[in-house]
Amino acid sequence: MDALTPEELTTIALSLKVAGWATVASLVPAIVVAWVLARFDFPGRLLLNSVVHLPLVMPPVVTGYLLLLVFGRRGAVGAFLEESFGIVVAFRWSGAALACAVMGFPLMVRAIRLGFEAIDLRFEQAAATLGASPAWVFLTVTLPLALPAVIAGAVLGFAKALGEFGATITFVSNIPGETQTIPLAIYAFTQSPDGEAGALRLTAIAIAISLLALAASEILARRAARGGAGRR
């Protein structure tokens, strides 16, 4: 296999940048939403759960088109951001990160929610009886016990962001050096008569990155689980 070209290296770096920012931006909201869904029963709970998981069942192209309608330069939010702060996300790498964050968010919430639901509530109740506030109980008891699930959710979100195609190409197009992530570059290579070698190189890189992410997730989750067992 030939060496990676400078353009392919740029694509890999951009993909890691987009996936990383998508994961970071989604993690705290995913933890909050997962906790709310796992711990509270309220009239709008079913609606919230449905909206959160909608990107999983809706065609990615539809999600990308909706993002374009809302965050495009003529969209309500996109026009406001540009006029007020000079921020443009459509057809920018930041828009690719937004699309990836939206697509990966349901997977993160689902994994983290399962972690919260698996926690024995007696640990939280014991902390509360000792005088800890609800916020302190969450930070010192609930979140540490759910840490393996949080890590798993973060890795799922990162992996989804790394492989996202439909929403990204619809919202930010396929611009080399700006929005062209690994899946988009592979697609471009498959449309070229002499692009097979490039597609194979990037496919191998995508597999390697995914395997490294999964291995790192497993190691971190085991350490977190051992730390949680020690605290018990």
Side-chain angles (χ1 to χ4, degrees), residues 71-105:
F71 290 95
R73 304 186 77 162
R74 297 182 180 179
V77 177
F80 171 76
L81 290 175
E82 183 175 8
E83 292 173 3
S84 302
F85 306 102
I87 298 174
V88 178
V89 293
F91 307 106
R92 300 289 192 274
W93 76 266
S94 54
L98 174 61
C100 291
V102 170
M103 294 302 296
F105 189 73

Side-chain angles (χ1 to χ4, degrees), residues 113-128:
R113 177 184 173 183
L114 291 174
F116 284 138
E117 291 176 344
I119 295 174
D120 190 336
L121 295 180
R122 289 177 298 180
F123 292 113
E124 297 177 351
Q125 293 166 357

Side-chain angles (χ1 to χ4, degrees), residues 13-229:
L14 179 63
S15 296
L16 293 173
K17 178 182 179 181
V18 167
W21 276 107
T23 303
V24 170
S26 301
L27 189 56
V28 172
I31 291 172
V32 173
V33 172
W35 180 65
V36 169
L37 291 175
R39 287 287 187 270
F40 300 98
D41 190 10
F42 51 93
R45 183 171 179 270
L46 179 60
L47 177 61
L48 175 61
N49 187 62
S50 299
V51 171
V52 166
H53 289 88
L54 194 59
L56 286 180
V57 296
M58 196 163 58
V61 172
V62 175
T63 302
Y65 181 62
L66 291 175
L67 287 173
L68 188 60
L69 290 178
V70 176
F71 290 95
R73 304 186 77 162
R74 297 182 180 179
V77 177
F80 171 76
L81 290 175
E82 183 175 8
E83 292 173 3
S84 302
F85 306 102
I87 298 174
V88 178
V89 293
F91 307 106
R92 300 289 192 274
W93 76 266
S94 54
L98 174 61
C100 291
V102 170
M103 294 302 296
F105 189 73
L107 296 175
M108 297 178 71
V109 170
R110 190 170 184 83
I112 298 170
R113 177 184 173 183
L114 291 174
F116 284 138
E117 291 176 344
I119 295 174
D120 190 336
L121 295 180
R122 289 177 298 180
F123 292 113
E124 297 177 351
Q125 293 166 357
T129 58
L130 293 174
S133 65
W136 191 246
V137 170
F138 177 79
L139 290 174
T140 61
V141 178
T142 309
L143 192 57
L145 290 176
L147 190 55
V150 172
I151 293 172
V155 172
L156 283 174
F158 180 84
K160 179 63 177 175
L162 196 64
E164 175 52 38
F165 176 81
T168 304
I169 198 170
T170 305
F171 182 38
V172 297
S173 190
N174 189 3
I175 306 171
E178 180 65 36
T179 66
Q180 189 179 75
T181 56
I182 291 176
L184 273 60
I186 292 174
Y187 173 77
F189 275 128
T190 62
Q191 304 305 302
S192 174
D194 57 350
E196 183 177 354
L200 285 173
R201 287 193 295 270
L202 289 181
T203 298
I205 292 297
I207 293 172
I209 293 173
S210 299
L211 289 174
L212 286 172
L214 289 172
S217 167
E218 184 67 20
I219 293 170
L220 291 172
R222 288 184 179 180
R223 289 182 178 177
R226 285 198 297 269

